[in-house]
Amino acid sequence: MTYPYQVTDFAGYELAYKRSIEDPEGFWGDIAANFTWKRKWDKVLEWDFLRPEIKWFNGGKLNITENCLDRHLEHSGHLPAIIWESNNPEEHHRMLTYKELHFKVMQFANVLKNNGVKKGDRVCIYMGMIPELAIAVLACARIGAIHSVIFGGFSAQAIADRVHDARAEYIITSDGAYRGAKDIPLKSVIDDALVGDHTVKRVIVSTRTRTPVSMIKGRDVWWEDEIRKVETQGNPFCAAEEMDAEDVLFILYTSGSTGKPKGVVHTTAGYMVWTNYTFVNAFQYQPGMVHFCTADIGWITGHSYIVYGPLSAGGTTLMFEGIPTWPDAGRFWEIVEKYKVNILYTAPTAIRSLMGFGLDYLEGKDLSSLKVLGTVGEPINEEAWHWYNKHIGKEKCPIIDTWWQTETGGVLISNWAGVTPAKPTFATLPMPGVQPCLVDDQGNEIEGNGVTGNLCIKAPWPAIIRTTYGDHERCRQTYFSTYPGKYFTGDGCLRDEEGHYRITGRVDDVLNVSGHRIGTAEVENAINMHAGVIESAVVGYPHDIKGQGIYAFIIYSGTHGDIQLSKQDIVQTVSRIIGPIAKPDKIQFVPGLPKTRSGKIMRRILRKVAEGDFSNFGDTSTLLDPSLVEVIRDGRV
Ligand code: PRX
């Protein structure tokens, strides 16, 4: 497969960018013409950010799996689509060619149909990183069902909230998942999530760990049994459902500054074009390259750059079940050597963590296949950037720093490998079609270079969020009302003298812990569930490896006396309500929280205490009880 829209020099990037702004419809129409459509679109773009209503390629009909699978069969059917590396280095790897993946997706799509799943139905998927996860995702898309993947680290309660919000009647899971030294009993977590539930009709369970599970009669079926039924039915074919360009492809839940996670909705055609275009251009993917994105498919990075981007480009995507530090910190490097990985895309947290293990684990590893390195999910610090460049890229691989969000569907700001200039810690320049701007708190646009502000985007790109599932008003309020007429990212940003963008972190109450987004309100709600907690406030603080750690200030009335045990109980509660990723790193019991007379918590003060910066608490005169500040400061943990 070739990519006529792949740009390979800076002048080409500038030209593409210019045309994408002056003539977006012509620009994206030309790119979209390279895909397989069942019917051409009537209009490339219609939009109104105030409602918001955004339609790309309206009137077009297609199925994304024909673009990810069928269209590659003739020339690339024998080529590897997915290479899978087990958590266990001793276990044999798996490889699925395009032909095999196509077959398996159709087979499982028939399983879904046999089990009553129809176009538009929501299917929650809660699995580990095994090829069946990708197959399940694509099988949903094949028949027009809407997938909502839930990261395997979320708790039963978090699953229940998501299943309920998506009004999902179908769940796909596994008996368990391997992650490093741990076995995660996925099916049992699903069972806990579904206690008292009467809406889920079917749970399809694939076999991975052979952990004992309880299969509920009439509701639960085994993946493998259902495949055998399809085999005996004899027809391996499953036609790709004709989807409107704007039909929903998937829902993915993400945290925001209010308590409840929201279901970010992406639609079919725009998302497909965007993930493909950004994959081919930012990473400079060439046919035959092995692309290793270390994210989990439970996050947007996995959706866009393990599944849809690489497969729509006919590429080879590597899926890794395990974690970077197990059985030891050389795991990534073994994988790079074993599969001659060409592109490595990972999070700064992983880089910092591996950096901490020293260079011994790199000893004797052949990383010479690497051509491009990427980072995503959080700001990368200089030290980690240089380590990645020197020890992994051997100073010959461009590093792309890709800034984007669940809501943006794919990369919005990034350098392009070897094509546009890289600058450590900078995401640098916008993708074609992306018009970033910085605004002050009053919403005035800040012009010129060498300035900082809140990052907004002025016009839609094809993979912009369309709505938040079941609550369009929430989408409008969260992203389109703070600065009317603009999409607000929630991030702070610097535009340097050269016009390059550097993302400085969230400006709202959202934390970024190890590249995972966690809302402070969500953690507070979970902490407040603990019987002894009266009130809590959560802030982030700089953490050497995770980027940000979670610091909780808690007013506690528990009586059983052992402070350490009480803190552990609270951590346990958060783990139960959200999942281990949201566990507070530090807990401080306080007699009160610094509130203004109107009852608002002055988080600025808490942040300073958490950071250990006592230099200047600013004006505290509006506090109800200014003396609390000293008490909290002195009790810092
Ligand atoms: O704060 C930004 C940070 O991650 C947020 C988006 O999180 P999520 O929706 O979970 O998606 C993560 C994977 C795309 C952003 O608002 N972020 C993401 N990439 C970068 C980043 N911050 C700095 N540099 C990046 N490259």
Side-chain angles (χ1 to χ4, degrees):
M1 189 172 195
T2 56
Y3 317 110
Y5 43 89
Q6 187 172 48
V7 169
T8 53
D9 57 37
F10 189 63
Y13 161 79
E14 284 186 309
L15 215 63
Y17 188 81
K18 188 163 178 287
R19 177 162 182 235
S20 76
I21 305 305
E22 287 170 1
D23 175 21
E25 296 201 39
F27 182 80
W28 292 109
D30 284 354
I31 291 164
N34 292 283
F35 292 78
T36 299
W37 296 83
K38 291 175 187 284
R39 180 186 186 274
K40 200 183 167 198
W41 55 90
D42 299 318
K43 181 101 179 88
V44 172
L45 173 62
E46 292 153 271
W47 65 291
D48 173 0
F49 265 3
L50 294 177
R51 297 165 68 91
E53 189 170 32
I54 302 143
K55 290 185 178 150
W56 280 93
F57 311 109
N58 202 21
K61 306 263 189 206
L62 74 162
N63 186 290
I64 197 167
T65 69
E66 283 190 331
N67 285 279
C68 288
L69 301 170
D70 304 59
R71 70 168 170 153
H72 307 313
L73 295 181
E74 192 183 339
H75 296 295
S76 321
H78 60 292
L79 296 179
I82 296 179
I83 298 173
W84 175 80
E85 168 74 8
S86 164
N87 180 61
N88 174 0
E90 307 294 315
E91 185 179 348
H92 203 271
H93 72 278
R94 288 170 65 186
M95 195 275 281
L96 296 174
T97 63
Y98 271 94
K99 198 158 170 271
E100 288 162 338
L101 182 60
H102 177 250
F103 178 77
K104 283 184 182 292
V105 167
M106 291 202 301
Q107 225 183 14
F108 193 66
N110 282 330
V111 166
L112 293 176
K113 279 186 172 172
N114 278 351
N115 281 278
V117 183
K118 293 182 299 302
K119 179 175 181 175
D121 286 346
R122 275 82 50 219
V123 179
C124 286
I125 304 179
Y126 184 66
M127 296 172 91
M129 282 286 284
I130 53 176
E132 283 65 27
L133 167 54
I135 292 167
V137 161
L138 292 164
C140 287
R142 186 78 174 175
I143 63 168
I146 299 168
H147 56 78
S148 182
V149 184
I150 303 171
F151 172 62
F154 279 116
S155 71
Q157 181 63 52
I159 297 167
D161 291 346
R162 286 159 174 77
V163 169
H164 178 77
D165 190 83
R167 279 164 265 150
E169 293 175 330
Y170 303 92
I171 294 182
I172 306 170
T173 188
S174 298
D175 48 359
Y178 295 121
R179 253 180 98 72
K182 290 191 205 136
D183 289 3
I184 300 156
L186 297 177
K187 171 62 166 65
S188 147
V189 180
I190 289 287
D191 289 338
D192 289 347
L194 297 186
V195 170
D197 172 276
H198 298 292
T199 52
V200 171
K201 293 184 190 156
R202 191 67 83 233
V203 179
I204 302 177
V205 188
S206 84
T207 306
R208 173 63 186 135
T209 54
R210 304 214 166 260
T211 311
V213 298
S214 86
M215 297 293 278
I216 304 294
K217 196 182 290 166
R219 189 193 71 183
D220 301 350
V221 293
W222 287 104
W223 175 299
E224 295 77 11
D225 289 347
E226 296 302 298
I227 292 284
R228 271 191 291 277
K229 280 188 208 160
V230 167
E231 279 168 354
T232 54
Q233 285 164 356
N235 177 13
F237 193 74
C238 175
E241 188 73 33
E242 185 170 288
M243 305 299 287
D244 283 336
E246 282 297 335
D247 273 340
V248 176
L249 176 64
F250 66 86
I251 305 169
L252 187 59
Y253 282 85
T254 189
S255 297
S257 33
T258 54
K260 210 170 121 231
K262 40 188 183 267
V264 172
V265 170
H266 284 291
T267 57
T268 306
Y271 176 81
M272 172 186 76
V273 169
W274 188 254
T275 50
N276 179 287
Y277 183 84
T278 52
F279 176 68
V280 161
N281 281 299
F283 294 97
Q284 288 291 297
Y285 187 83
Q286 299 289 335
M289 276 182 158
V290 177
H291 175 75
F292 178 19
C293 166
T294 70
D296 191 291
I297 293 178
W299 307 110
I300 190 70
T301 308
H303 281 60
S304 302
Y305 299 110
I306 295 178
V307 181
Y308 288 112
L311 296 180
S312 67
T316 298
T317 183
L318 199 154
M319 256 180 102
F320 174 41
E321 185 184 34
I323 56 169
T325 50
W326 193 87
D328 64 44
R331 202 65 211 285
F332 276 1
W333 323 129
E334 272 160 31
I335 295 175
V336 168
E337 178 171 335
K338 181 168 172 189
Y339 300 104
K340 300 196 169 31
V341 167
N342 304 117
I343 305 174
L344 175 66
Y345 189 34
T346 195
T349 291
I351 300 169
R352 286 191 295 262
S353 147
L354 295 175
M355 197 167 96
F357 283 90
L359 297 175
D360 288 355
Y361 293 97
L362 282 160
E363 202 71 33
K365 304 280 176 358
D366 180 3
L367 306 184
S368 61
S369 57
L370 286 173
K371 292 198 163 71
V372 174
L373 303 177
T375 70
V376 58
E378 45 181 326
I380 183 161
N381 47 313
E382 289 248 359
E383 197 191 353
W385 194 98
H386 287 293
W387 188 87
Y388 200 31
N389 185 39
K390 183 165 176 206
H391 298 292
I392 308 305
K394 316 288 184 199
E395 292 176 340
K396 65 175 180 55
C397 299
I399 300 178
I400 60 171
D401 180 347
T402 64
W403 171 82
W404 56 296
Q405 309 178 298
T406 305
E407 295 84 346
T408 71
V411 176
L412 289 204
I413 305 183
S414 173
N415 52 314
W416 292 8
V419 173
T420 69
K423 196 183 279 186
T425 77
F426 279 74
T428 72
L429 297 172
M431 288 287 174
V434 175
Q435 299 183 52
C437 67
L438 304 183
V439 295
D440 64 20
D441 289 339
Q442 284 69 47
N444 305 309
E445 197 171 328
I446 306 166
E447 309 273 356
N449 288 340
V451 290
T452 56
N454 300 323
L455 179 62
C456 293
I457 315 286
K458 285 189 195 178
W461 60 97
I464 186 173
I465 179 175
R466 299 301 197 273
T467 189
T468 43
Y469 191 75
D471 190 352
H472 191 63
E473 175 57 15
R474 186 159 179 214
C475 173
R476 192 190 67 79
Q477 273 184 10
T478 313
Y479 307 105
F480 297 93
S481 73
T482 317
Y483 305 112
K486 298 185 178 74
Y487 167 83
F488 177 43
T489 64
D491 278 322
C493 185
L494 157 79
R495 184 168 53 222
D496 75 359
E497 294 299 343
E498 290 177 287
H500 289 192
Y501 292 87
R502 176 193 200 168
I503 313 303
T504 48
R506 303 286 306 192
V507 292
D508 53 9
D509 291 325
V510 172
L511 308 179
N512 191 327
V513 180
S514 302
H516 299 147
R517 245 162 91 169
I518 300 171
T520 51
E522 206 182 336
V523 183
E524 287 162 7
N525 289 346
I527 292 174
N528 296 348
M529 299 286 279
H530 186 280
V533 171
I534 295 174
E535 201 181 353
S536 64
V538 162
V539 297
Y541 70 96
H543 188 288
D544 283 350
I545 291 182
K546 297 179 179 184
Q548 268 189 313
I550 301 180
Y551 196 119
F553 296 88
I554 297 175
I555 309 176
Y556 187 73
S557 73
T559 47
H560 75 62
D562 183 332
I563 290 191
Q564 276 324 314
L565 200 57
S566 304
K567 289 185 178 177
Q568 283 169 18
D569 288 351
I570 291 169
V571 169
Q572 184 69 15
T573 309
V574 175
S575 224
R576 275 215 162 258
I577 305 290
I578 307 176
I581 52 170
K583 282 193 219 171
D585 299 278
K586 292 186 178 183
I587 293 179
Q588 179 180 347
F589 288 158
V590 292
L593 292 167
K595 287 189 180 172
T596 61
R597 284 186 197 95
S598 60
K600 220 170 141 357
I601 297 172
M602 230 187 233
R603 285 175 188 273
R604 165 170 65 80
I605 291 175
L606 297 178
R607 267 186 224 115
K608 288 219 154 212
V609 173
E611 283 165 18
D613 169 9
F614 304 148
S615 55
N616 178 11
F617 284 114
D619 181 12
T620 55
S621 64
T622 57
L623 284 179
L624 207 54
D625 177 5
S627 69
L628 249 178
V629 176
E630 274 163 36
V631 179
I632 295 175
R633 181 195 66 193
D634 295 343
R636 180 174 183 268
V637 292

